[in-house]
């Protein structure tokens, strides 16, 4: 424990600006041990960072049904009796779309990510991680003991702050470690989606109330803090070599004139505004496809999931929604963990396929031509595959195509892509929900 704490103290004085004295290269066994500690550390950080965000989206239907349960003290019973809002609608609609929860869960993240490349690097890593963990714990407590939708949405905002600050912090931190940690981080975020959605689904299906389900998840923020402070090791000089170095050498840099390779990652704090703008323009070939992927998939998730309601099944409306979320997250987890098996450079193809998914499911909402919910299950699983693949390959490609000097800034700037796409989808889905719910 003391050794881990010592290594935490050595890491750049916990910020980007200070370099430690060169040390002799550690023995092979020590390097392998450090590799696996860092791999597991970033996997757990990805898992814990996105967990509260995923749980809030999985609970979105329950959060909004709160106002429909008179005398309810904490969200709703796990499987309330359906009480449609509009007799003129063929959908069992909430008065407010689940996109309202999505916007509460994503807009604070968008603000953080837009501002992060401008000055977040001035705040040391440890305070950022502490704030992130504290907000995650606060979100579970606030939503669990909420007595109104507004109070619940305030808890969702805390989850958003936690996830957004954590993502930009930990993606920036990967610049100080060997590039494979990006794959482990991405796999962990996919695991958060699967475990978060599955745990909420499983515990509520087993009869646990949403309140007690949320309170049972308070160990996750503690695990995030433990992973950062006690599991990660001090960054060592990077020597990727082998296949990874060969692939990187074959790529064209995102900037026309890259800085020398001996530049350190912590030079990000000294980049001029002109350099930052030049790097950002080079990132657009990856940012735009990722924005489109996330716009399409969250249009589906928070705009159409609630309306893809099948009455010819034993599952209640709330249970169908939770199954949709769980299957989507399962697809995301598999594809975000697939980087060692499959590299995709042209992520625009994934954006096109995701937009086709959106068009198909929107047509089904309007025309109701799919005969069974199991067809929707398969499409949603495929949707998750595309979204996870777009995320992990985007950041892998950026890591390969940026110099050490620009990588920390590039990772922080590019992570706005998914959040921007999600935010735009939420803004579009809210009026669409009201329109579709008025259809006879």
């Amino acid at each position: 424990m003391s050794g881990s704490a010592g290594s935490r103290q050595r890491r750049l004085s916990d910020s980007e600006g200070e370099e430690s004295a060169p040390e002799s290269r550690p023995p092979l066994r020590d390097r392998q041990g450090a590799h696996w500690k860092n791999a597991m550390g970033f996997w757990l950080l990805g898992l814990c960072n996105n967990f509260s965000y995923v749980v809030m989206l999985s609970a979105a239907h329950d959060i909004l049904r709160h106002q429909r349960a008179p005398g309810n003290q904490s969200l709703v019973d796990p499987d309330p009796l359906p009480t449609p809002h509009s007799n003129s609608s063929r959908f069992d609609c909430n008065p407010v779309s689940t996109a309202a929860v999505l916007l509460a869960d994503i807009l604070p993240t968008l603000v953080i990510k837009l501002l992060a490349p401008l000055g977040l690097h001035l705040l040391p890593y440890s305070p950022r991680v502490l704030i992130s963990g504290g907000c995650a714990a606060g979100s579970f407590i606030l939503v669990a003991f909420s007595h109104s939708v507004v109070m619940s949405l305030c808890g969702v905002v805390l989850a958003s702050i936690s996830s957004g600050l954590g993502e930009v912090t930990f993606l920036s931190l990967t610049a100080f470690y060997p590039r494979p940690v990006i794959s482990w981080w991405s796999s962990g975020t996919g695991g958060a989606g699967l475990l978060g959605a599955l745990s909420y689904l499983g515990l509520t299906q087993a009869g646990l109330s949403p309140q007690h389900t949320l309170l049972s998840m308070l160990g996750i923020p503690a695990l995030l803090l433990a992973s950062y402070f006690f599991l990660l090791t001090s960054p060592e000089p990077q020597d990727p070599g082998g296949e990874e170095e060969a692939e990187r050498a074959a790529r064209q840099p995102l900037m026309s004139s890259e800085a020398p390779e001996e530049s350190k990652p912590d030079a990000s704090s000294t980049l001029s505004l002109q350099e930052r703008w030049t790097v950002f323009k080079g990132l657009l070939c990856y940012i735009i496809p990722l924005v489109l992927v996330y716009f399409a998939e969250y249009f589906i998730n928070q705009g159409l999931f609630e309306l893809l309601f099948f009455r010819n099944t034993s599952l209640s409306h709330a249970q169908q929604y939770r199954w949709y979320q769980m299957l989507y997250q399962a697809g995301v987890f598999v594809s975000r963990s697939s980087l060692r098996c499959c590299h995709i450079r042209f992520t625009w193809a994934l954006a096109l396929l995701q937009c086709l998914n959106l068009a198909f499911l929107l047509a089904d909402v309007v025309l109701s031509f799919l005969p069974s919910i199991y067809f929707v299950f398969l499409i949603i699983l495929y949707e998750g595959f595309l979204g996870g693949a777009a995320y992990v390959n985007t950041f892998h490609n950026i890591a390969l195509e940026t110099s050490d000097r620009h990588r920390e800034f590039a990772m922080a700037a590019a992570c706005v892509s998914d959040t921007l796409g999600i935010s735009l989808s939420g803004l579009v889905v809210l009026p669409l929900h009201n329109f579709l719910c008025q259809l006879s």
Side-chain angles (χ1 to χ4, degrees):
M1 187 70 70
S2 61
S4 297
S7 69
R8 175 63 43 213
Q9 181 68 25
R10 292 195 301 273
R11 183 187 297 136
L12 304 171
S13 293
D14 199 39
S15 70
E16 300 89 330
E18 182 178 323
E19 299 180 25
S20 57
E23 299 178 0
S24 59
R25 192 166 181 81
L28 177 61
R29 179 174 297 180
D30 290 346
R31 295 203 306 272
Q32 289 176 337
H35 165 78
W36 286 111
K37 286 184 69 176
N38 291 329
M40 184 55 63
F42 273 97
W43 193 89
L44 288 173
L45 289 173
L47 172 73
C48 299
N49 184 72
N50 282 28
F51 197 90
S52 60
Y53 167 82
V54 170
V55 167
M56 295 306 161
L57 292 185
S58 297
H61 193 81
D62 290 335
I63 289 172
L64 293 177
R65 289 179 72 101
H66 170 88
Q67 60 192 7
R68 300 169 58 181
N72 192 29
Q73 294 304 306
S74 60
L75 293 178
V76 292
D77 293 332
D79 293 301
L81 294 174
T83 55
H85 300 287
S86 173
N87 293 330
S88 64
S89 174
R90 58 187 170 89
F91 305 109
D92 179 24
C93 295
N94 278 308
V96 181
S97 167
T98 53
V101 176
L102 173 66
L103 288 175
D105 211 6
I106 204 64
L107 287 180
T109 295
L110 179 62
V111 173
I112 290 171
K113 290 184 178 181
L114 288 174
L115 297 179
L118 301 179
L120 189 61
H121 62 277
L122 300 176
L123 181 66
Y125 279 100
S126 285
R128 295 192 229 171
V129 176
L130 289 170
I131 294 171
S132 178
C135 287
S139 70
F140 288 131
I141 295 171
L142 194 57
V143 175
F145 290 104
S146 169
H147 296 289
S148 69
V149 174
V150 172
M151 186 175 175
S152 294
L153 292 179
C154 290
V156 174
V157 167
L158 284 180
S160 176
I161 294 172
S162 169
S163 176
L165 180 61
E167 183 176 12
V168 73
T169 295
F170 297 127
L171 275 173
S172 298
L173 189 63
T174 63
F176 300 98
Y177 290 85
R179 293 182 192 91
V181 299
I182 297 173
S183 175
W184 287 99
W185 157 267
S186 298
S187 177
T189 59
L194 179 60
L195 294 178
L198 189 59
S199 62
Y200 189 83
L201 170 67
L203 291 173
T204 53
Q205 287 279 94
L208 204 63
S209 71
Q211 179 187 43
H212 292 110
T213 297
L214 292 173
L215 292 177
S216 70
M217 297 172 177
L218 283 172
I220 298 297
L223 181 59
L224 181 141
L225 297 180
S227 300
Y228 175 78
F229 286 103
F230 304 121
L231 190 55
L232 292 186
T233 66
S234 179
E236 300 292 344
Q238 298 183 26
D239 181 23
E243 179 183 348
E244 179 186 335
E245 188 62 24
E247 181 180 0
R248 186 169 189 268
R251 297 292 187 95
Q252 293 296 321
L254 288 172
M255 296 181 63
S256 57
S257 57
E258 287 280 16
E261 274 305 302
E262 61 269 15
S263 299
K264 300 295 182 184
D266 56 12
S268 172
S269 59
T270 65
L271 293 179
S272 67
L273 287 177
Q274 180 61 39
E275 277 185 290
R276 292 169 187 265
W277 175 242
T278 303
V279 173
F280 181 77
K281 287 191 296 183
L283 294 173
L284 289 177
C285 63
Y286 291 117
I287 288 177
I288 293 174
L290 195 58
V291 169
L292 291 175
V293 166
Y294 273 84
F295 174 84
E297 70 184 73
Y298 275 83
F299 191 110
I300 295 170
N301 293 3
Q302 305 307 126
L304 304 185
F305 275 8
E306 188 184 9
L307 305 179
L308 290 166
F309 176 41
F310 288 80
R311 301 180 188 273
N312 60 345
T313 176
S314 60
L315 297 174
S316 71
H317 194 179
Q319 289 172 333
Q320 289 180 42
Y321 183 86
R322 294 169 195 159
W323 272 103
Y324 291 156
Q325 290 286 352
M326 192 279 292
L327 289 169
Y328 162 74
Q329 299 294 353
V332 169
F333 172 65
V334 171
S335 57
R336 286 196 181 188
S337 305
S338 66
L339 189 59
R340 287 185 173 272
C341 304
C342 179
H343 295 174
I344 301 173
R345 184 176 184 186
F346 300 108
T347 53
W348 58 265
L350 301 174
L352 176 61
L353 292 172
Q354 197 70 290
C355 290
L356 291 176
N357 268 349
L358 166 59
F360 183 83
L361 289 177
L362 181 59
D364 179 67
V365 166
V366 176
L367 303 175
S368 298
F369 55 82
L370 288 177
S372 169
I373 193 174
Y374 296 103
F375 289 100
V376 178
F377 283 171
L378 290 175
I379 294 170
I380 289 173
L381 189 63
Y382 171 61
E383 174 209 349
F385 288 154
L386 294 177
Y391 181 93
V392 67
N393 282 281
T394 293
F395 287 104
H396 175 70
N397 291 334
I398 290 171
L400 289 175
E401 298 182 18
T402 51
S403 68
D404 288 347
R405 172 178 170 80
H406 298 131
R407 188 169 304 117
E408 184 185 14
F409 169 77
M411 300 298 270
C415 74
V416 76
S417 310
D418 56 344
T419 308
L420 180 59
I422 295 170
S423 302
L424 292 174
S425 72
L427 294 174
V428 173
V429 160
L430 279 173
L432 178 70
H433 170 273
N434 295 333
F435 170 75
L436 291 175
C437 284
Q438 293 171 0
L439 294 178
S440 57

